[in-house]
Amino acid sequence: MRINTGKIKNWGVYFLAVLAAVFVHELGHCVVAWINGIKAIPTPAKEYITSDVTPKLDQYIALGGVAGTIAAWLAATVLFVRKPSKTNAAIFAGTLASPGLYTFLFLLKGRGHDATEFQDAQAAAGFSYSGHSLDWLFLAILIAGIILWSVKTKPSLKVIPALVAGAVATIIFIAGLQSINNAIFDPLFNPAAAAPAKTLQPAK
């Protein structure tokens, strides 16, 4: 059985791009905190803000993460458009993973990001706090990315099973990354979140 090293390389590049794009998202949060004199620590799948911040600054920190995701996608788009190689196509697809996951969660449960990050970011950008501006934006990015990728690579219908398998693998990869990241770094930078919940004992 012949191993297709080219495909293995492309999938490796893809998942490295997914990891890099997630980290840039967390870095975006931290950059806003740093600019405002707040200590923040970026890790592969989470940012740790180690000081108290005002609600207004918290909204701008949320917007920084969104800006990071969009910046990573735009940089990969320019690279892919200028040189549409298989490697650059994999990088481009990797930066679409987060918008794809946000869209999946939006369609599944009505909000593309957990907690209130999208709501806070929308408020900082001047949109309605309770609206879905970012959900629709990432849906548009995903659709635009799929169209651009299809035009540039001209895939056959035979690629559909691989795309479906890749989408499932991506969800598992990001979920696993988040869990591993939290298990390693929560005890270091957020001990309260890492501590097990206390069980109330019945009164004697």
Side-chain angles (χ1 to χ4, degrees):
M1 180 178 178
R2 185 178 179 182
I3 298 175
N4 192 325
T5 56
K7 285 187 177 180
I8 293 175
K9 175 188 173 183
N10 288 337
W11 279 113
V13 170
Y14 168 78
F15 282 109
L16 283 175
V18 173
L19 177 62
V22 171
F23 179 72
V24 170
H25 175 94
E26 308 307 339
L27 190 62
H29 290 307
C30 293
V31 167
V32 176
W34 294 335
I35 290 173
N36 288 275
I38 302 297
K39 185 179 178 182
I41 303 166
T43 61
K46 191 174 184 179
E47 89 287 352
Y48 292 88
I49 309 298
T50 60
S51 304
D52 292 334
V53 298
T54 64
K56 190 65 176 178
L57 178 55
D58 193 42
Q59 291 181 347
Y60 282 104
I61 289 175
L63 183 60
V66 171
T69 297
I70 295 173
W73 173 71
L74 286 174
T77 299
V78 171
L79 180 66
F80 180 49
V81 169
R82 293 184 64 179
K83 189 177 180 181
S85 65
K86 289 185 178 180
T87 296
N88 291 343
I91 294 172
F92 174 71
T95 63
L96 278 175
S98 289
L101 181 60
Y102 295 150
T103 297
F104 174 73
L105 294 175
F106 174 41
L107 298 176
L108 184 67
K109 64 178 187 178
R111 184 67 65 182
H113 201 290
D114 57 358
T116 60
E117 183 169 314
F118 273 13
Q119 293 96 310
D120 290 335
Q122 287 169 172
F127 298 106
S128 169
Y129 181 90
S130 59
H132 293 279
S133 302
L134 289 180
D135 293 315
W136 292 115
L137 173 62
F138 282 116
L139 173 60
I141 286 174
L142 178 63
I143 293 173
I146 291 173
I147 292 173
L148 177 60
W149 178 82
S150 299
V151 169
K152 288 291 185 179
T153 63
K154 296 179 175 59
S156 67
L157 294 178
K158 294 180 180 179
V159 78
I160 292 178
L163 293 178
V164 173
V168 173
T170 300
I171 293 173
I172 295 172
F173 176 81
I174 293 177
L177 175 64
Q178 185 75 65
S179 297
I180 294 171
N181 188 95
N182 293 353
I184 294 173
F185 294 108
D186 275 1
L188 296 175
F189 305 127
N190 191 8
K198 293 182 178 180
T199 302
L200 296 178
Q201 299 296 329
K204 294 182 178 179

Coordinates of all heavy atoms in Angstrom, one line a residue, residues 73 92 96 99-100 103 107 135-151:
W73 N -7.1 35.3 8.8 CA -7.8 34.9 7.6 C -7.4 35.8 6.4 O -7.1 35.3 5.3 CB -9.3 34.9 7.8 CG -10.0 34.7 6.5 CD1 -10.1 33.5 5.9 CD2 -10.8 35.6 5.8 NE1 -10.9 33.7 4.7 CE2 -11.3 35.0 4.7 CE3 -11.0 37.0 6.0 CZ2 -12.1 35.6 3.7 CZ3 -11.8 37.7 5.0 CH2 -12.3 37.0 3.9
F92 N -4.7 28.5 4.0 CA -5.9 29.3 3.9 C -7.1 28.6 4.5 O -7.9 29.1 5.3 CB -6.2 29.6 2.4 CG -7.5 30.2 2.1 CD1 -7.7 31.5 2.4 CD2 -8.5 29.5 1.5 CE1 -8.9 32.2 2.1 CE2 -9.7 30.1 1.2 CZ -9.9 31.5 1.5
L96 N -9.8 29.2 8.0 CA -11.3 29.2 7.9 C -11.9 28.3 8.9 O -13.1 28.3 9.1 CB -11.7 28.7 6.5 CG -11.7 29.8 5.4 CD1 -12.1 29.1 4.1 CD2 -12.7 30.9 5.7
P99 N -13.9 30.5 11.7 CA -15.1 30.9 11.2 C -16.1 29.8 10.9 O -17.3 29.9 11.1 CB -14.8 31.6 9.9 CG -13.4 32.1 10.1 CD -12.7 31.0 11.0
G100 N -15.6 28.6 10.5 CA -16.5 27.5 10.2 C -17.1 27.0 11.5 O -18.3 26.6 11.6
T103 N -19.7 29.4 12.8 CA -20.9 29.2 12.1 C -21.7 28.0 12.5 O -22.9 28.0 12.6 CB -20.6 29.2 10.5 OG1 -20.0 30.4 10.2 CG2 -21.9 29.0 9.7
L107 N -25.5 28.1 14.0 CA -26.6 27.4 13.5 C -27.1 26.3 14.5 O -28.3 26.0 14.5 CB -26.2 26.7 12.2 CG -25.8 27.6 11.0 CD1 -25.3 26.8 9.8 CD2 -26.9 28.5 10.6
D135 N -21.8 36.8 14.2 CA -22.2 35.5 13.7 C -22.4 35.6 12.2 O -22.0 34.7 11.4 CB -23.5 35.1 14.4 CG -23.3 34.8 15.8 OD1 -22.4 34.1 16.2 OD2 -24.2 35.2 16.6
W136 N -23.1 36.6 11.7 CA -23.3 36.8 10.3 C -22.0 37.1 9.5 O -21.8 36.7 8.4 CB -24.4 37.9 10.0 CG -25.8 37.5 10.5 CD1 -26.5 38.1 11.5 CD2 -26.6 36.4 10.0 NE1 -27.7 37.4 11.6 CE2 -27.8 36.4 10.7 CE3 -26.4 35.5 9.0 CZ2 -28.8 35.5 10.5 CZ3 -27.4 34.5 8.7 CH2 -28.6 34.6 9.5
L137 N -21.2 37.9 10.2 CA -19.9 38.2 9.6 C -19.1 37.0 9.3 O -18.5 36.8 8.2 CB -19.1 39.2 10.5 CG -17.6 39.5 10.0 CD1 -17.6 40.1 8.6 CD2 -16.9 40.4 11.0
F138 N -19.0 36.1 10.3 CA -18.2 34.9 10.1 C -18.8 33.9 9.2 O -18.1 33.1 8.5 CB -17.9 34.2 11.5 CG -16.8 34.9 12.3 CD1 -17.0 35.5 13.5 CD2 -15.5 35.0 11.8 CE1 -16.0 36.2 14.2 CE2 -14.5 35.6 12.4 CZ -14.7 36.2 13.6
L139 N -20.1 33.9 9.1 CA -20.8 33.1 8.1 C -20.4 33.6 6.7 O -20.2 32.8 5.8 CB -22.3 33.2 8.3 CG -23.2 32.5 7.2 CD1 -22.9 31.0 7.1 CD2 -24.7 32.7 7.5
A140 N -20.4 34.9 6.5 CA -20.0 35.5 5.2 C -18.6 35.2 4.9 O -18.3 34.9 3.7 CB -20.2 37.1 5.3
I141 N -17.7 35.3 5.9 CA -16.3 34.9 5.7 C -16.2 33.5 5.2 O -15.4 33.1 4.3 CB -15.5 35.2 7.0 CG1 -15.3 36.7 7.2 CG2 -14.1 34.5 6.9 CD1 -14.6 37.0 8.5
L142 N -16.9 32.6 5.9 CA -16.9 31.2 5.5 C -17.3 30.9 4.1 O -16.7 30.2 3.3 CB -17.7 30.4 6.5 CG -17.8 28.9 6.2 CD1 -16.4 28.2 6.4 CD2 -18.8 28.2 7.2
I143 N -18.4 31.5 3.7 CA -19.0 31.4 2.4 C -18.0 31.9 1.4 O -17.7 31.3 0.3 CB -20.4 32.0 2.3 CG1 -21.4 31.3 3.1 CG2 -20.8 32.1 0.8 CD1 -22.7 32.0 3.2
A144 N -17.5 33.1 1.6 CA -16.5 33.8 0.7 C -15.3 32.9 0.6 O -14.7 32.7 -0.5 CB -16.1 35.2 1.2
G145 N -14.8 32.3 1.7 CA -13.6 31.5 1.7 C -13.9 30.2 0.9 O -13.0 29.8 0.1
I146 N -15.0 29.6 1.0 CA -15.3 28.4 0.3 C -15.4 28.7 -1.2 O -14.9 27.9 -2.1 CB -16.7 27.8 0.7 CG1 -16.5 27.2 2.2 CG2 -17.1 26.7 -0.2 CD1 -17.8 26.8 2.8
I147 N -16.0 29.8 -1.6 CA -16.1 30.2 -3.0 C -14.7 30.4 -3.6 O -14.4 29.9 -4.7 CB -17.0 31.4 -3.2 CG1 -18.4 31.1 -2.8 CG2 -16.9 32.0 -4.6 CD1 -19.3 32.3 -2.8
L148 N -13.9 31.2 -2.8 CA -12.5 31.5 -3.3 C -11.7 30.2 -3.5 O -11.0 30.0 -4.5 CB -11.8 32.4 -2.3 CG -10.4 32.8 -2.7 CD1 -10.3 33.5 -4.0 CD2 -9.8 33.7 -1.6
W149 N -11.8 29.3 -2.5 CA -11.0 28.0 -2.5 C -11.5 27.2 -3.7 O -10.7 26.6 -4.4 CB -11.2 27.3 -1.2 CG -10.6 25.9 -1.2 CD1 -9.2 25.7 -0.9 CD2 -11.2 24.7 -1.5 NE1 -9.0 24.3 -1.0 CE2 -10.2 23.7 -1.3 CE3 -12.5 24.3 -1.8 CZ2 -10.4 22.3 -1.5 CZ3 -12.7 22.9 -2.0 CH2 -11.7 22.0 -1.9
S150 N -12.8 27.2 -4.0 CA -13.4 26.4 -5.1 C -12.9 26.9 -6.4 O -12.6 26.2 -7.3 CB -14.9 26.4 -5.0 OG -15.3 25.8 -3.8
V151 N -12.9 28.3 -6.6 CA -12.5 28.9 -7.8 C -11.0 28.7 -8.1 O -10.6 28.4 -9.2 CB -12.8 30.4 -7.8 CG1 -12.1 31.1 -9.0 CG2 -14.3 30.7 -7.8

